[in-house]
Amino acid sequence: MGEKNGAVAFFDVDGTLVWHDMDKARTEGADAVFAEPHPTEAVYEAFRRMRAAGHRTLICTGRHLPFISDTLLALEPDGLIAGAGAYVRVGDEVVRNATIEDDLLLETARRFIDAGVDIAFEGGDCNLEVHPSGAPAAFAGSELAHDLAGVERSVARHHYCKFCVSGVTLEQLAGLRSFYEPHFTVCDLQYDTYEFSLRGVDKGSAIDVALARLGHGRADTIAFGDSENDLSMAGHVETFVAMGNALPNVKARADYVTDSAADDGVVTGLEHFGLI
């Protein structure tokens, strides 16, 4: 793979490039674990070897820009897909920046608030946690609203591309399904979290945008992931790799299953395909 002009590789972050201590998250809070993810030295070295071999790397994550930490940027990727495909940057050029229209976002917030479900909207410059429960924000730096008036104040200043809910099941959201299904695709992110992205805006379509900007076809492309929002990548790259800790339906779709993120499965996969 990648012998002539170099391969292009896309990497999910949580559960792929980094492994999280969920016991710590439960005892110390999500911010203590997820705010500043740390790839291992073996992963940093793999990215250095990829660059030296003439391959290009792009982070491809559900995280939006406020959660792309310096520890991830230190991998020195050639591009960034964030917001589960809503935002695409190749080099220094932003080639996609999709957001939820204000009217749809406000109606979404109203319905989830009325249902008593806490949600978190994610955007390129801000995250908004909407907690009708009255709970405090889970992440430092997030804006916080407890009612629709608070959401309206935030939407007047920021744009958001997707939202997540945690600690509930899709069965518990059944009463909202007829509203959200026409507008959003729902993905299981593991960690008791579901992600709602605009229909047609996903990691797979973002890969197409990035490859077009790079002038690179589907040949010699590879992607690594573990959760349902990574499934869309499978049909847009030559080789899709599932982590050993991936959901069963992600493994079933994969061309190859590597080791767990806890065991540097990205490194194992890159070695398997001769990219490092």
Side-chain angles (χ1 to χ4, degrees):
M1 176 180 284
E3 293 181 357
K4 293 182 179 180
N5 299 311
V8 181
F10 300 87
F11 301 90
D12 173 50
V13 172
D14 301 291
T16 300
L17 286 176
V18 295
W19 180 252
H20 297 296
D21 182 347
M22 296 309 297
D23 288 335
K24 181 178 180 181
R26 282 185 284 270
T27 58
E28 299 183 25
D31 199 47
V33 173
F34 291 98
E36 192 169 275
H38 288 272
T40 67
E41 179 53 38
V43 171
Y44 283 116
E45 177 61 21
F47 270 64
R48 288 190 287 266
R49 292 172 64 187
M50 287 279 285
R51 287 193 298 275
H55 307 310
R56 285 174 284 194
T57 60
L58 289 89
I59 289 175
C60 191
T61 178
R63 292 169 175 254
H64 215 327
L65 300 182
F67 284 124
I68 308 294
S69 63
D70 289 343
T71 55
L72 294 173
L73 295 178
L75 292 166
E76 299 183 38
D78 296 285
L80 178 63
I81 294 172
Y87 177 92
V88 182
R89 186 174 73 215
V90 178
D92 295 325
E93 182 183 358
V94 177
V95 291
R96 176 195 269 184
N97 190 12
T99 59
I100 304 170
E101 292 184 0
D102 290 353
D103 288 348
L104 175 58
L105 188 145
L106 289 170
E107 181 63 14
T108 301
R110 183 186 71 79
R111 289 176 182 257
F112 276 77
I113 289 170
D114 287 349
V117 177
D118 290 355
I119 62 177
F121 291 102
E122 299 179 27
D125 62 349
C126 180
N127 291 328
L128 170 64
E129 298 185 42
V130 184
H131 291 175
S133 67
F139 292 97
S142 290
E143 293 200 352
L144 177 64
H146 296 299
D147 53 28
L148 191 59
V151 177
E152 290 172 340
R153 288 191 293 271
S154 184
V155 170
R157 294 175 288 110
H158 305 287
H159 295 288
Y160 300 97
C161 71
K162 70 182 184 84
F163 66 96
C164 292
V165 300
S166 298
V168 298
T169 66
L170 291 183
E171 289 72 21
Q172 291 172 299
L173 299 178
L176 295 167
R177 187 172 300 144
S178 62
F179 165 72
Y180 68 68
E181 280 192 339
H183 304 292
F184 301 101
T185 299
V186 185
C187 292
D188 184 351
L189 298 188
Q190 305 192 77
Y191 312 118
D192 297 322
T193 298
Y194 290 92
E195 175 184 78
F196 294 69
S197 298
L198 285 168
R199 286 202 171 274
V201 178
D202 55 32
K203 292 185 179 185
S205 61
I207 284 174
D208 289 344
V209 171
L211 290 175
R213 181 62 187 87
L214 290 168
H216 195 287
R218 182 174 170 180
D220 291 340
T221 58
I222 188 170
F224 293 77
D226 72 303
S227 298
E228 282 186 349
N229 70 355
D230 299 314
L231 280 171
S232 64
M233 298 194 291
H236 297 261
V237 293
E238 184 176 53
T239 304
F240 178 57
V241 179
M243 306 303 293
N245 51 279
L247 289 167
N249 56 340
V250 178
K251 290 181 179 179
R253 185 65 178 83
D255 301 295
Y256 175 75
V257 178
T258 187
D259 295 331
S260 167
D263 299 312
D264 292 327
V266 160
V267 179
T268 305
L270 292 173
E271 289 175 340
H272 175 83
F273 287 103
L275 293 171
I276 59 173

